[in-house]
Amino acid sequence: MRGSTTTWRRCTLAVLMATVAIATTGPVLGTAEAATSTRSTPLIPAGDRQVRFTADGTTTYGTVHIPAHRAGQRLPAALLIPGSGLTDRNGDQPPATTPHTLALFASTLGDDGVMSLRFDKYGTGRTGWGRYKNSDHIDMAAYTRQAVAAYNALRAQPEADPNELLIVGHSEGGLQALLVGRAVRTKPAGLALIAPQDTRLLDAIDYQLAGTLDRLVAAGELSPKQAQFNKTGVSRAIADFRAERQVDTSGLLPFIASLLNGLFGPYNATFVRSDDAIYPPDIARRVAHGTRTLVTCGTADINVPCRTTPPLLTALAAARTTGPGLRILPGLDHFLHPAGAPVNDQMIAPAAQSALHDFVRPWQHLTAS
């Protein structure tokens, strides 16, 4: 996950026509007449609108992307939730990491007539830390409340159809999508969990670091004995942190010791403990029955490898969710790039775009043109 190194019910034709075909006086128009009436209304071009909303006494800033549509048309609407760490509304951690993941999600969804809202989470962009001042005391629940406020702000947009609300989350945002879906009163019709956090946070850190050590051994930069020593040290440090014992990282490779000391230090410990307490499949079992879901995993994703997804998928199946379900993305990494592509390539590979298109297919409206 980024911070560790850092559907919708289709709006049926009848419902759509009922929206636009009832005159202030006179009979309801027939289907063909209603379609003609819709086409005769003004076409509003695609565009962005800057919005703000309040959560926990702090103003959050975001962007609503609205695809081309007819005046008065209500659109399916998706909340986009960023991944872990200081990730802003576009899915970036500037200046170093700027893949533009969420902005690209907004564009891809907009091609299918789905409007979206993305926002600067605490600590990023125009939002900043607000009442929290810094990361010392912020926890997972605070980020969830912020995302719930964003969902409600999206629902209140004049173009949004309140019966066609979706949540799309990337990485840790996938876990947040599950948490928000549980917390809100108007349940989302669909959840797209893109390379989602699917296990406890520190378990993910453990296997990610183990994978890094294995790659160093394969490259001849580390001996198997050194790798095993560091693997054991990481597991011990995690166990000590969970047990609220003193964590000792002495003797570990400097980059590993630095990462663990940062995670378990005063600026991040509260959040890490609150995130690590959540087992995503437990939340997934509570997803509302019939919710359309998408789960993606890239075969080149070393942050959330495909081998870790089965418990999450089993939990979603137990909740009797529907939809495309699992989509394996051959050769794609955590940022939905082909393996080996620069992290800051601002693109989403065709396979990932196709997965999003399939997810929103039930909500695709008649084209605005």
Side-chain angles (χ1 to χ4, degrees), residues 268-313:
N268 294 309
T270 297
F271 173 79
V272 170
R273 202 176 295 284
S274 67
D275 188 337
D276 187 58
I278 302 169
Y279 183 53
D282 288 343
I283 312 303
R285 290 187 189 95
R286 307 178 200 175
V287 171
H289 296 175
T291 303
R292 183 173 174 85
T293 60
L294 166 70
V295 179
T296 74
C297 74
T299 61
D301 188 342
I302 61 175
N303 290 0
V304 185
C306 290
R307 63 181 173 81
T308 67
T309 60
L312 178 64
L313 297 170

Short mmCIF file of all heavy atoms in Angstrom, two decimals, residues 268-313:
data_model
loop_
_atom_site.label_atom_id
_atom_site.label_comp_id
_atom_site.label_asym_id
_atom_site.label_seq_id
_atom_site.Cartn_x
_atom_site.Cartn_y
_atom_site.Cartn_z
N ASN A 268 2.62 8.50 14.03
CA ASN A 268 1.81 7.54 13.28
C ASN A 268 1.21 6.42 14.11
O ASN A 268 0.34 5.69 13.63
CB ASN A 268 2.65 6.91 12.16
CG ASN A 268 3.05 7.91 11.11
OD1 ASN A 268 2.22 8.65 10.58
ND2 ASN A 268 4.34 7.97 10.80
N ALA A 269 1.64 6.25 15.34
CA ALA A 269 1.24 5.08 16.12
C ALA A 269 -0.26 4.98 16.32
O ALA A 269 -0.85 3.89 16.23
CB ALA A 269 1.94 5.08 17.47
N THR A 270 -0.92 6.12 16.60
CA THR A 270 -2.37 6.09 16.83
C THR A 270 -3.10 5.59 15.59
O THR A 270 -3.98 4.72 15.68
CB THR A 270 -2.88 7.49 17.21
OG1 THR A 270 -2.28 7.87 18.45
CG2 THR A 270 -4.40 7.49 17.36
N PHE A 271 -2.72 6.14 14.43
CA PHE A 271 -3.38 5.70 13.20
C PHE A 271 -3.06 4.24 12.89
O PHE A 271 -3.95 3.45 12.56
CB PHE A 271 -2.97 6.56 12.01
CG PHE A 271 -3.51 6.02 10.72
CD1 PHE A 271 -4.82 6.23 10.37
CD2 PHE A 271 -2.72 5.23 9.89
CE1 PHE A 271 -5.35 5.69 9.20
CE2 PHE A 271 -3.23 4.68 8.73
CZ PHE A 271 -4.55 4.92 8.38
N VAL A 272 -1.81 3.88 12.98
CA VAL A 272 -1.41 2.51 12.65
C VAL A 272 -2.15 1.51 13.52
O VAL A 272 -2.67 0.50 13.05
CB VAL A 272 0.12 2.34 12.78
CG1 VAL A 272 0.51 0.87 12.68
CG2 VAL A 272 0.83 3.15 11.70
N ARG A 273 -2.24 1.78 14.81
CA ARG A 273 -2.94 0.86 15.71
C ARG A 273 -4.42 0.75 15.34
O ARG A 273 -5.00 -0.34 15.36
CB ARG A 273 -2.77 1.32 17.15
CG ARG A 273 -2.97 0.21 18.18
CD ARG A 273 -2.69 0.71 19.60
NE ARG A 273 -1.32 1.09 19.83
CZ ARG A 273 -0.30 0.25 19.99
NH1 ARG A 273 -0.52 -1.05 19.95
NH2 ARG A 273 0.92 0.70 20.22
N SER A 274 -5.04 1.87 14.98
CA SER A 274 -6.47 1.84 14.65
C SER A 274 -6.73 1.13 13.33
O SER A 274 -7.74 0.44 13.18
CB SER A 274 -7.03 3.27 14.60
OG SER A 274 -6.47 4.01 13.52
N ASP A 275 -5.85 1.30 12.35
CA ASP A 275 -5.99 0.60 11.07
C ASP A 275 -5.72 -0.89 11.25
O ASP A 275 -6.47 -1.74 10.79
CB ASP A 275 -5.02 1.21 10.06
CG ASP A 275 -5.22 0.69 8.64
OD1 ASP A 275 -5.76 -0.41 8.46
OD2 ASP A 275 -4.82 1.40 7.69
N ASP A 276 -4.66 -1.20 11.96
CA ASP A 276 -4.27 -2.60 12.15
C ASP A 276 -5.33 -3.40 12.91
O ASP A 276 -5.38 -4.63 12.80
CB ASP A 276 -2.94 -2.66 12.89
CG ASP A 276 -2.37 -4.08 12.97
OD1 ASP A 276 -2.17 -4.70 11.90
OD2 ASP A 276 -2.14 -4.55 14.10
N ALA A 277 -6.18 -2.72 13.67
CA ALA A 277 -7.23 -3.42 14.42
C ALA A 277 -8.36 -3.91 13.51
O ALA A 277 -9.21 -4.70 13.95
CB ALA A 277 -7.81 -2.48 15.48
N ILE A 278 -8.37 -3.47 12.25
CA ILE A 278 -9.46 -3.81 11.32
C ILE A 278 -9.03 -4.95 10.41
O ILE A 278 -7.98 -4.88 9.77
CB ILE A 278 -9.84 -2.59 10.47
CG1 ILE A 278 -10.25 -1.42 11.36
CG2 ILE A 278 -10.98 -2.94 9.50
CD1 ILE A 278 -10.40 -0.11 10.62
N TYR A 279 -9.86 -5.99 10.35
CA TYR A 279 -9.65 -7.09 9.40
C TYR A 279 -10.67 -6.91 8.29
O TYR A 279 -11.87 -7.11 8.50
CB TYR A 279 -9.82 -8.44 10.09
CG TYR A 279 -9.55 -9.63 9.21
CD1 TYR A 279 -8.35 -9.75 8.50
CD2 TYR A 279 -10.50 -10.66 9.09
CE1 TYR A 279 -8.10 -10.85 7.71
CE2 TYR A 279 -10.25 -11.76 8.29
CZ TYR A 279 -9.04 -11.86 7.60
OH TYR A 279 -8.78 -12.95 6.80
N PRO A 280 -10.25 -6.47 7.11
CA PRO A 280 -11.21 -6.10 6.06
C PRO A 280 -12.29 -7.14 5.75
O PRO A 280 -13.45 -6.74 5.54
CB PRO A 280 -10.29 -5.84 4.85
CG PRO A 280 -9.02 -5.34 5.47
CD PRO A 280 -8.86 -6.17 6.72
N PRO A 281 -11.99 -8.44 5.72
CA PRO A 281 -13.09 -9.39 5.46
C PRO A 281 -14.21 -9.30 6.49
O PRO A 281 -15.38 -9.56 6.15
CB PRO A 281 -12.39 -10.75 5.50
CG PRO A 281 -10.99 -10.45 5.05
CD PRO A 281 -10.69 -9.12 5.69
N ASP A 282 -13.90 -8.93 7.73
CA ASP A 282 -14.96 -8.77 8.73
C ASP A 282 -15.92 -7.66 8.33
O ASP A 282 -17.14 -7.75 8.58
CB ASP A 282 -14.35 -8.44 10.10
CG ASP A 282 -13.67 -9.65 10.74
OD1 ASP A 282 -13.92 -10.79 10.30
OD2 ASP A 282 -12.86 -9.42 11.67
N ILE A 283 -15.41 -6.59 7.75
CA ILE A 283 -16.26 -5.49 7.29
C ILE A 283 -17.02 -5.91 6.03
O ILE A 283 -18.20 -5.60 5.87
CB ILE A 283 -15.42 -4.23 7.01
CG1 ILE A 283 -14.47 -3.94 8.18
CG2 ILE A 283 -16.33 -3.04 6.74
CD1 ILE A 283 -15.15 -3.76 9.50
N ALA A 284 -16.35 -6.65 5.16
CA ALA A 284 -16.96 -7.07 3.90
C ALA A 284 -18.17 -7.96 4.13
O ALA A 284 -19.12 -7.94 3.34
CB ALA A 284 -15.93 -7.79 3.04
N ARG A 285 -18.17 -8.74 5.19
CA ARG A 285 -19.32 -9.62 5.47
C ARG A 285 -20.58 -8.83 5.77
O ARG A 285 -21.68 -9.37 5.72
CB ARG A 285 -19.00 -10.54 6.65
CG ARG A 285 -17.96 -11.60 6.33
CD ARG A 285 -17.79 -12.60 7.47
NE ARG A 285 -16.65 -13.46 7.22
CZ ARG A 285 -15.42 -13.24 7.68
NH1 ARG A 285 -15.21 -12.18 8.46
NH2 ARG A 285 -14.43 -14.05 7.40
N ARG A 286 -20.44 -7.54 6.10
CA ARG A 286 -21.59 -6.71 6.46
C ARG A 286 -22.07 -5.83 5.32
O ARG A 286 -22.96 -5.00 5.50
CB ARG A 286 -21.22 -5.84 7.66
CG ARG A 286 -20.66 -6.62 8.84
CD ARG A 286 -20.26 -5.70 9.96
NE ARG A 286 -19.33 -6.33 10.88
CZ ARG A 286 -18.74 -5.72 11.90
NH1 ARG A 286 -18.99 -4.44 12.12
NH2 ARG A 286 -17.90 -6.36 12.68
N VAL A 287 -21.50 -6.00 4.14
CA VAL A 287 -21.96 -5.24 2.98
C VAL A 287 -23.41 -5.61 2.68
O VAL A 287 -23.80 -6.78 2.78
CB VAL A 287 -21.07 -5.52 1.76
CG1 VAL A 287 -21.65 -4.92 0.49
CG2 VAL A 287 -19.66 -4.98 1.99
N ALA A 288 -24.23 -4.62 2.34
CA ALA A 288 -25.65 -4.87 2.09
C ALA A 288 -25.84 -5.88 0.97
O ALA A 288 -25.14 -5.83 -0.06
CB ALA A 288 -26.34 -3.55 1.72
N HIS A 289 -26.76 -6.81 1.17
CA HIS A 289 -27.04 -7.82 0.16
C HIS A 289 -27.40 -7.16 -1.17
O HIS A 289 -28.12 -6.17 -1.21
CB HIS A 289 -28.21 -8.72 0.60
CG HIS A 289 -27.91 -9.52 1.83
ND1 HIS A 289 -28.85 -10.32 2.46
CD2 HIS A 289 -26.78 -9.68 2.55
CE1 HIS A 289 -28.30 -10.90 3.51
NE2 HIS A 289 -27.05 -10.51 3.59
N GLY A 290 -26.90 -7.73 -2.25
CA GLY A 290 -27.21 -7.24 -3.58
C GLY A 290 -26.33 -6.11 -4.06
O GLY A 290 -26.49 -5.66 -5.20
N THR A 291 -25.41 -5.64 -3.21
CA THR A 291 -24.50 -4.59 -3.65
C THR A 291 -23.60 -5.10 -4.77
O THR A 291 -23.01 -6.17 -4.65
CB THR A 291 -23.61 -4.11 -2.47
OG1 THR A 291 -24.45 -3.66 -1.41
CG2 THR A 291 -22.69 -2.99 -2.92
N ARG A 292 -23.51 -4.35 -5.85
CA ARG A 292 -22.63 -4.74 -6.94
C ARG A 292 -21.20 -4.42 -6.55
O ARG A 292 -20.89 -3.30 -6.10
CB ARG A 292 -23.02 -4.00 -8.22
CG ARG A 292 -22.20 -4.39 -9.46
CD ARG A 292 -22.77 -3.74 -10.71
NE ARG A 292 -21.96 -3.96 -11.89
CZ ARG A 292 -22.03 -5.03 -12.68
NH1 ARG A 292 -22.89 -6.01 -12.38
NH2 ARG A 292 -21.25 -5.14 -13.74
N THR A 293 -20.32 -5.39 -6.69
CA THR A 293 -18.95 -5.19 -6.26
C THR A 293 -17.96 -5.57 -7.36
O THR A 293 -18.21 -6.44 -8.18
CB THR A 293 -18.61 -6.01 -5.00
OG1 THR A 293 -18.79 -7.41 -5.27
CG2 THR A 293 -19.50 -5.60 -3.84
N LEU A 294 -16.84 -4.86 -7.31
CA LEU A 294 -15.68 -5.17 -8.14
C LEU A 294 -14.47 -5.21 -7.22
O LEU A 294 -14.31 -4.33 -6.36
CB LEU A 294 -15.48 -4.09 -9.20
CG LEU A 294 -14.13 -4.09 -9.93
CD1 LEU A 294 -14.00 -5.30 -10.85
CD2 LEU A 294 -13.94 -2.79 -10.72
N VAL A 295 -13.66 -6.23 -7.37
CA VAL A 295 -12.37 -6.31 -6.68
C VAL A 295 -11.31 -6.57 -7.73
O VAL A 295 -11.44 -7.50 -8.53
CB VAL A 295 -12.35 -7.44 -5.63
CG1 VAL A 295 -10.98 -7.51 -4.95
CG2 VAL A 295 -13.46 -7.24 -4.60
N THR A 296 -10.26 -5.76 -7.76
CA THR A 296 -9.19 -6.01 -8.71
C THR A 296 -7.92 -6.40 -7.99
O THR A 296 -7.67 -6.00 -6.84
CB THR A 296 -8.89 -4.78 -9.58
OG1 THR A 296 -8.19 -3.80 -8.81
CG2 THR A 296 -10.16 -4.20 -10.18
N CYS A 297 -7.12 -7.20 -8.68
CA CYS A 297 -5.74 -7.43 -8.22
C CYS A 297 -4.86 -7.55 -9.44
O CYS A 297 -5.23 -8.18 -10.44
CB CYS A 297 -5.63 -8.67 -7.33
SG CYS A 297 -5.76 -10.24 -8.19
N GLY A 298 -3.73 -6.91 -9.39
CA GLY A 298 -2.75 -6.98 -10.47
C GLY A 298 -1.73 -8.05 -10.19
O GLY A 298 -1.24 -8.18 -9.07
N THR A 299 -1.40 -8.82 -11.20
CA THR A 299 -0.45 -9.91 -10.97
C THR A 299 0.96 -9.40 -10.70
O THR A 299 1.81 -10.18 -10.23
CB THR A 299 -0.43 -10.88 -12.17
OG1 THR A 299 -0.02 -10.18 -13.35
CG2 THR A 299 -1.81 -11.50 -12.41
N ALA A 300 1.23 -8.13 -10.98
CA ALA A 300 2.53 -7.55 -10.67
C ALA A 300 2.46 -6.60 -9.47
O ALA A 300 3.40 -5.82 -9.25
CB ALA A 300 3.09 -6.83 -11.89
N ASP A 301 1.39 -6.68 -8.70
CA ASP A 301 1.21 -5.81 -7.54
C ASP A 301 1.92 -6.44 -6.34
O ASP A 301 1.49 -7.48 -5.82
CB ASP A 301 -0.28 -5.63 -7.25
CG ASP A 301 -0.57 -4.58 -6.18
OD1 ASP A 301 0.36 -4.24 -5.42
OD2 ASP A 301 -1.73 -4.12 -6.10
N ILE A 302 3.00 -5.83 -5.91
CA ILE A 302 3.72 -6.38 -4.76
C ILE A 302 3.18 -5.81 -3.44
O ILE A 302 3.55 -6.31 -2.36
CB ILE A 302 5.23 -6.09 -4.86
CG1 ILE A 302 5.52 -4.60 -4.90
CG2 ILE A 302 5.81 -6.80 -6.09
CD1 ILE A 302 6.99 -4.24 -4.90
N ASN A 303 2.33 -4.81 -3.48
CA ASN A 303 1.73 -4.26 -2.27
C ASN A 303 0.51 -5.05 -1.83
O ASN A 303 0.33 -5.33 -0.64
CB ASN A 303 1.32 -2.80 -2.50
CG ASN A 303 2.51 -1.88 -2.63
OD1 ASN A 303 3.66 -2.32 -2.56
ND2 ASN A 303 2.26 -0.60 -2.83
N VAL A 304 -0.36 -5.39 -2.79
CA VAL A 304 -1.55 -6.21 -2.51
C VAL A 304 -1.57 -7.34 -3.53
O VAL A 304 -2.29 -7.27 -4.53
CB VAL A 304 -2.85 -5.38 -2.60
CG1 VAL A 304 -4.05 -6.22 -2.19
CG2 VAL A 304 -2.76 -4.14 -1.70
N PRO A 305 -0.80 -8.38 -3.30
CA PRO A 305 -0.73 -9.47 -4.27
C PRO A 305 -2.03 -10.26 -4.34
O PRO A 305 -2.79 -10.32 -3.37
CB PRO A 305 0.41 -10.35 -3.74
CG PRO A 305 0.50 -10.02 -2.29
CD PRO A 305 0.10 -8.58 -2.16
N CYS A 306 -2.26 -10.87 -5.48
CA CYS A 306 -3.50 -11.62 -5.69
C CYS A 306 -3.69 -12.75 -4.67
O CYS A 306 -4.82 -13.10 -4.34
CB CYS A 306 -3.54 -12.18 -7.11
SG CYS A 306 -3.75 -10.93 -8.40
N ARG A 307 -2.61 -13.28 -4.16
CA ARG A 307 -2.73 -14.40 -3.22
C ARG A 307 -3.39 -14.00 -1.90
O ARG A 307 -3.84 -14.86 -1.14
CB ARG A 307 -1.35 -15.00 -2.93
CG ARG A 307 -0.37 -14.05 -2.27
CD ARG A 307 0.98 -14.71 -2.03
NE ARG A 307 1.97 -13.76 -1.54
CZ ARG A 307 2.08 -13.37 -0.28
NH1 ARG A 307 1.23 -13.86 0.63
NH2 ARG A 307 3.02 -12.52 0.07
N THR A 308 -3.46 -12.70 -1.61
CA THR A 308 -4.06 -12.28 -0.33
C THR A 308 -5.55 -11.99 -0.43
O THR A 308 -6.18 -11.71 0.59
CB THR A 308 -3.35 -11.02 0.20
OG1 THR A 308 -3.62 -9.90 -0.67
CG2 THR A 308 -1.84 -11.24 0.30
N THR A 309 -6.14 -12.05 -1.63
CA THR A 309 -7.53 -11.61 -1.81
C THR A 309 -8.61 -12.64 -1.46
O THR A 309 -9.75 -12.23 -1.21
CB THR A 309 -7.78 -11.15 -3.26
OG1 THR A 309 -7.50 -12.22 -4.16
CG2 THR A 309 -6.88 -9.97 -3.61
N PRO A 310 -8.35 -13.95 -1.44
CA PRO A 310 -9.45 -14.90 -1.22
C PRO A 310 -10.31 -14.66 0.01
O PRO A 310 -11.54 -14.77 -0.09
CB PRO A 310 -8.73 -16.26 -1.18
CG PRO A 310 -7.58 -16.07 -2.11
CD PRO A 310 -7.11 -14.66 -1.84
N PRO A 311 -9.76 -14.35 1.20
CA PRO A 311 -10.66 -14.12 2.35
C PRO A 311 -11.63 -12.96 2.12
O PRO A 311 -12.80 -13.04 2.53
CB PRO A 311 -9.69 -13.83 3.50
CG PRO A 311 -8.43 -14.53 3.11
CD PRO A 311 -8.34 -14.34 1.62
N LEU A 312 -11.17 -11.91 1.47
CA LEU A 312 -12.06 -10.78 1.17
C LEU A 312 -13.15 -11.21 0.20
O LEU A 312 -14.34 -10.88 0.39
CB LEU A 312 -11.26 -9.63 0.59
CG LEU A 312 -12.05 -8.37 0.18
CD1 LEU A 312 -12.69 -7.73 1.40
CD2 LEU A 312 -11.15 -7.38 -0.55
N LEU A 313 -12.79 -11.96 -0.83
CA LEU A 313 -13.77 -12.42 -1.81
C LEU A 313 -14.78 -13.36 -1.17
O LEU A 313 -15.98 -13.29 -1.46
CB LEU A 313 -13.05 -13.12 -2.96
CG LEU A 313 -12.10 -12.24 -3.78
CD1 LEU A 313 -11.28 -13.10 -4.73
CD2 LEU A 313 -12.87 -11.17 -4.55
#
